[in-house]
Amino acid sequence: MSKPIYVINGPNLNRLGKREPDIYGHTTLAEVEAMCREAAGDTGIVFRQSNAEHEIIGWIHEAIDEGAGIIINPAAYTFTSIAILDALKQFDGPIIELHISNIHRREAIYHNSLVSKVATAIIAGLGPHGYETAVQAMGRLVTDSTN
Ligand code: CA2
């Protein structure tokens, strides 16, 4: 069986669809997961969310051993976590950094992503549907990197 794509979500994203719909939309994280599985077709999806940095790092380690690609919305850790950056550096496959909102249109604290330094590609500002786009794009990146 082919390796799965890891979709990893950071702090507060479990609240998606429940607060600040003007920024993050009305879609819940469970609906985002369903969207990802639908977009992936036969490719396996490992979908995770945590508010704890160490758990996110653990899933990146798991992806290093078992994953074909990583789609990561590190949320606030995007801008603060050298530990997540160091973990991602160990991953050999494609990495898509994903943000629901366009971080560059927002306050300056959201402008300097550490994760972008190791991301293969960045998707931001497409709303929750950005996840669908990311899964489709990851399918192509994984095929390209294994051929
Ligand atoms: O736009 C994104 O996806 C972000 O990664 C979301 C993060 C923010 O720190 C990033 O700069 C951009 C915040 C996640 C907060 O999630 C919420 C979800 C629902 C309601 C309130 C917050």
Short mmCIF file of all heavy atoms in Angstrom, two decimals, residues 11-20 23-24 73-76 78-79 98-103 106 110 131, ligand 1:
data_model
loop_
_atom_site.label_atom_id
_atom_site.label_comp_id
_atom_site.label_asym_id
_atom_site.label_seq_id
_atom_site.Cartn_x
_atom_site.Cartn_y
_atom_site.Cartn_z
N PRO A 11 -2.60 24.70 17.06
CA PRO A 11 -3.46 25.17 18.13
C PRO A 11 -4.65 26.01 17.68
O PRO A 11 -4.53 26.84 16.78
CB PRO A 11 -2.53 26.00 19.01
CG PRO A 11 -1.26 26.14 18.28
CD PRO A 11 -1.19 25.06 17.25
N ASN A 12 -5.75 25.75 18.33
CA ASN A 12 -7.03 26.47 18.19
C ASN A 12 -7.83 26.06 16.95
O ASN A 12 -8.98 26.46 16.82
CB ASN A 12 -6.83 28.00 18.20
CG ASN A 12 -6.36 28.49 19.54
OD1 ASN A 12 -7.00 28.24 20.55
ND2 ASN A 12 -5.21 29.14 19.58
N LEU A 13 -7.24 25.28 16.06
CA LEU A 13 -7.97 24.92 14.84
C LEU A 13 -9.12 23.94 15.12
O LEU A 13 -10.00 23.78 14.28
CB LEU A 13 -7.01 24.40 13.77
CG LEU A 13 -6.15 25.54 13.18
CD1 LEU A 13 -4.96 24.98 12.42
CD2 LEU A 13 -6.97 26.46 12.28
N ASN A 14 -9.13 23.34 16.32
CA ASN A 14 -10.30 22.54 16.72
C ASN A 14 -11.54 23.42 16.91
O ASN A 14 -12.66 22.92 16.97
CB ASN A 14 -10.01 21.75 18.01
CG ASN A 14 -9.50 22.62 19.14
OD1 ASN A 14 -8.67 23.49 18.92
ND2 ASN A 14 -9.99 22.41 20.34
N ARG A 15 -11.36 24.74 16.96
CA ARG A 15 -12.48 25.68 17.14
C ARG A 15 -13.04 26.18 15.81
O ARG A 15 -13.95 27.02 15.77
CB ARG A 15 -12.01 26.89 17.96
CG ARG A 15 -11.39 26.54 19.30
CD ARG A 15 -12.36 25.92 20.25
NE ARG A 15 -13.43 26.84 20.61
CZ ARG A 15 -14.61 26.47 21.10
NH1 ARG A 15 -14.87 25.20 21.25
NH2 ARG A 15 -15.52 27.37 21.40
N LEU A 16 -12.49 25.67 14.73
CA LEU A 16 -12.88 26.10 13.38
C LEU A 16 -14.40 25.98 13.18
O LEU A 16 -15.00 24.98 13.57
CB LEU A 16 -12.16 25.21 12.36
CG LEU A 16 -11.72 25.86 11.06
CD1 LEU A 16 -10.84 27.05 11.32
CD2 LEU A 16 -10.98 24.83 10.20
N GLY A 17 -14.99 27.00 12.57
CA GLY A 17 -16.43 26.99 12.31
C GLY A 17 -17.25 27.43 13.51
O GLY A 17 -18.46 27.61 13.41
N LYS A 18 -16.59 27.64 14.65
CA LYS A 18 -17.33 27.98 15.87
C LYS A 18 -17.11 29.43 16.30
O LYS A 18 -17.92 29.98 17.04
CB LYS A 18 -16.92 27.04 17.01
CG LYS A 18 -17.30 25.58 16.70
CD LYS A 18 -16.73 24.60 17.71
CE LYS A 18 -17.12 23.19 17.29
NZ LYS A 18 -16.15 22.18 17.68
N ARG A 19 -16.00 30.01 15.90
CA ARG A 19 -15.65 31.39 16.26
C ARG A 19 -15.00 32.07 15.06
O ARG A 19 -14.41 31.41 14.21
CB ARG A 19 -14.64 31.42 17.42
CG ARG A 19 -15.16 30.98 18.77
CD ARG A 19 -15.91 32.11 19.48
NE ARG A 19 -16.35 31.74 20.81
CZ ARG A 19 -17.40 30.95 21.08
NH1 ARG A 19 -18.12 30.46 20.09
NH2 ARG A 19 -17.74 30.69 22.31
N GLU A 20 -15.06 33.39 15.01
CA GLU A 20 -14.39 34.21 13.98
C GLU A 20 -14.63 33.71 12.56
O GLU A 20 -13.68 33.55 11.78
CB GLU A 20 -12.88 34.30 14.27
CG GLU A 20 -12.55 34.89 15.64
CD GLU A 20 -11.06 35.11 15.84
OE1 GLU A 20 -10.45 35.86 15.06
OE2 GLU A 20 -10.52 34.51 16.79
N ILE A 23 -13.02 35.46 9.51
CA ILE A 23 -11.61 35.18 9.15
C ILE A 23 -11.46 33.72 8.70
O ILE A 23 -10.80 33.45 7.69
CB ILE A 23 -10.66 35.42 10.35
CG1 ILE A 23 -10.80 36.86 10.86
CG2 ILE A 23 -9.20 35.15 9.95
CD1 ILE A 23 -9.97 37.15 12.12
N TYR A 24 -12.07 32.78 9.43
CA TYR A 24 -11.76 31.36 9.20
C TYR A 24 -12.90 30.57 8.55
O TYR A 24 -12.74 29.38 8.27
CB TYR A 24 -11.34 30.70 10.52
CG TYR A 24 -10.14 31.36 11.15
CD1 TYR A 24 -10.23 32.03 12.36
CD2 TYR A 24 -8.91 31.34 10.50
CE1 TYR A 24 -9.14 32.65 12.93
CE2 TYR A 24 -7.80 31.96 11.06
CZ TYR A 24 -7.92 32.62 12.28
OH TYR A 24 -6.82 33.23 12.82
N ASN A 73 -0.82 23.03 8.83
CA ASN A 73 -1.26 24.36 9.25
C ASN A 73 -0.82 24.48 10.71
O ASN A 73 -1.52 24.06 11.62
CB ASN A 73 -2.78 24.52 9.14
CG ASN A 73 -3.21 25.93 9.51
OD1 ASN A 73 -2.43 26.70 10.08
ND2 ASN A 73 -4.45 26.27 9.21
N PRO A 74 0.36 25.05 10.93
CA PRO A 74 0.90 25.07 12.29
C PRO A 74 0.25 26.16 13.16
O PRO A 74 0.64 26.31 14.32
CB PRO A 74 2.39 25.38 12.08
CG PRO A 74 2.61 25.40 10.59
CD PRO A 74 1.29 25.63 9.94
N ALA A 75 -0.69 26.93 12.58
CA ALA A 75 -1.37 28.02 13.30
C ALA A 75 -0.31 28.93 13.95
O ALA A 75 0.68 29.27 13.30
CB ALA A 75 -2.39 27.46 14.28
N ALA A 76 -0.48 29.27 15.22
CA ALA A 76 0.44 30.24 15.83
C ALA A 76 1.89 29.74 15.89
O ALA A 76 2.83 30.54 15.89
CB ALA A 76 -0.04 30.60 17.23
N THR A 78 3.51 28.55 13.58
CA THR A 78 4.15 28.97 12.34
C THR A 78 5.25 30.01 12.59
O THR A 78 6.30 30.00 11.95
CB THR A 78 3.10 29.65 11.42
OG1 THR A 78 1.97 28.81 11.29
CG2 THR A 78 3.67 30.00 10.06
N PHE A 79 4.95 30.89 13.55
CA PHE A 79 5.79 32.08 13.74
C PHE A 79 6.74 31.97 14.92
O PHE A 79 7.58 32.84 15.13
CB PHE A 79 4.87 33.31 13.94
CG PHE A 79 3.74 33.33 12.94
CD1 PHE A 79 2.46 32.91 13.30
CD2 PHE A 79 3.97 33.69 11.62
CE1 PHE A 79 1.43 32.88 12.38
CE2 PHE A 79 2.95 33.65 10.69
CZ PHE A 79 1.67 33.24 11.07
N LEU A 98 0.06 25.44 4.99
CA LEU A 98 -1.28 25.90 4.65
C LEU A 98 -1.83 26.86 5.71
O LEU A 98 -1.68 26.61 6.91
CB LEU A 98 -2.21 24.67 4.58
CG LEU A 98 -3.68 25.02 4.42
CD1 LEU A 98 -4.00 25.24 2.97
CD2 LEU A 98 -4.57 23.99 5.00
N HIS A 99 -2.43 27.94 5.24
CA HIS A 99 -3.16 28.84 6.13
C HIS A 99 -4.52 29.15 5.52
O HIS A 99 -4.62 29.40 4.31
CB HIS A 99 -2.39 30.15 6.35
CG HIS A 99 -1.06 29.91 6.97
ND1 HIS A 99 -0.92 29.60 8.31
CD2 HIS A 99 0.18 29.87 6.43
CE1 HIS A 99 0.36 29.40 8.55
NE2 HIS A 99 1.05 29.56 7.43
N ILE A 100 -5.53 29.13 6.34
CA ILE A 100 -6.89 29.43 5.88
C ILE A 100 -6.98 30.88 5.45
O ILE A 100 -7.56 31.21 4.41
CB ILE A 100 -7.89 29.11 7.02
CG1 ILE A 100 -7.85 27.60 7.33
CG2 ILE A 100 -9.30 29.56 6.66
CD1 ILE A 100 -8.49 27.23 8.65
N SER A 101 -6.41 31.75 6.26
CA SER A 101 -6.42 33.19 5.95
C SER A 101 -5.14 33.56 5.21
O SER A 101 -4.16 32.81 5.24
CB SER A 101 -6.52 34.00 7.25
OG SER A 101 -5.41 33.73 8.08
N ASN A 102 -5.18 34.73 4.55
CA ASN A 102 -3.96 35.24 3.92
C ASN A 102 -3.15 35.96 4.99
O ASN A 102 -3.42 37.12 5.32
CB ASN A 102 -4.31 36.18 2.77
CG ASN A 102 -3.06 36.75 2.11
OD1 ASN A 102 -1.95 36.52 2.59
ND2 ASN A 102 -3.23 37.48 1.04
N ILE A 103 -2.15 35.26 5.53
CA ILE A 103 -1.40 35.78 6.69
C ILE A 103 -0.71 37.11 6.36
O ILE A 103 -0.51 37.94 7.24
CB ILE A 103 -0.38 34.74 7.22
CG1 ILE A 103 0.53 34.22 6.11
CG2 ILE A 103 -1.10 33.59 7.91
CD1 ILE A 103 1.62 33.25 6.61
N ARG A 106 -2.64 40.30 7.10
CA ARG A 106 -3.01 40.49 8.50
C ARG A 106 -1.95 41.28 9.26
O ARG A 106 -1.02 41.82 8.66
CB ARG A 106 -3.27 39.11 9.12
CG ARG A 106 -4.39 38.37 8.36
CD ARG A 106 -4.74 37.07 8.98
NE ARG A 106 -5.27 37.26 10.33
CZ ARG A 106 -5.56 36.25 11.15
NH1 ARG A 106 -5.38 35.00 10.76
NH2 ARG A 106 -6.05 36.50 12.34
N TYR A 110 1.85 38.11 12.04
CA TYR A 110 1.55 36.93 11.21
C TYR A 110 2.37 36.90 9.92
O TYR A 110 2.07 36.13 9.02
CB TYR A 110 0.06 36.91 10.85
CG TYR A 110 -0.88 36.76 12.02
CD1 TYR A 110 -1.81 37.76 12.32
CD2 TYR A 110 -0.87 35.63 12.83
CE1 TYR A 110 -2.69 37.64 13.39
CE2 TYR A 110 -1.73 35.50 13.91
CZ TYR A 110 -2.64 36.50 14.18
OH TYR A 110 -3.51 36.37 15.24
N TYR A 131 -7.57 23.45 1.96
CA TYR A 131 -7.14 22.08 2.30
C TYR A 131 -7.34 21.14 1.11
O TYR A 131 -6.49 20.29 0.84
CB TYR A 131 -7.93 21.55 3.50
CG TYR A 131 -7.46 22.09 4.84
CD1 TYR A 131 -7.94 23.31 5.32
CD2 TYR A 131 -6.56 21.39 5.61
CE1 TYR A 131 -7.52 23.80 6.55
CE2 TYR A 131 -6.13 21.87 6.85
CZ TYR A 131 -6.63 23.08 7.31
OH TYR A 131 -6.20 23.56 8.52
O1 CA2 B 1 -5.14 31.22 8.70
C1 CA2 B 1 -4.69 30.25 9.29
O2 CA2 B 1 -4.96 29.09 8.98
C2 CA2 B 1 -3.79 30.45 10.51
O3 CA2 B 1 -2.79 29.44 10.52
C3 CA2 B 1 -4.66 30.35 11.74
C4 CA2 B 1 -3.96 30.67 13.05
C5 CA2 B 1 -3.16 31.96 12.97
O4 CA2 B 1 -2.35 32.07 14.13
C6 CA2 B 1 -2.30 31.96 11.74
O5 CA2 B 1 -1.64 33.13 11.67
C7 CA2 B 1 -3.10 31.78 10.46
C8 CA2 B 1 -4.95 30.78 14.18
C9 CA2 B 1 -5.85 29.60 14.34
C10 CA2 B 1 -7.00 30.00 15.18
O6 CA2 B 1 -8.07 29.18 14.85
C11 CA2 B 1 -9.32 29.59 15.21
C12 CA2 B 1 -10.34 28.86 14.66
C13 CA2 B 1 -11.63 29.23 14.94
C14 CA2 B 1 -11.90 30.29 15.79
C15 CA2 B 1 -10.84 30.99 16.34
C16 CA2 B 1 -9.54 30.64 16.05
#
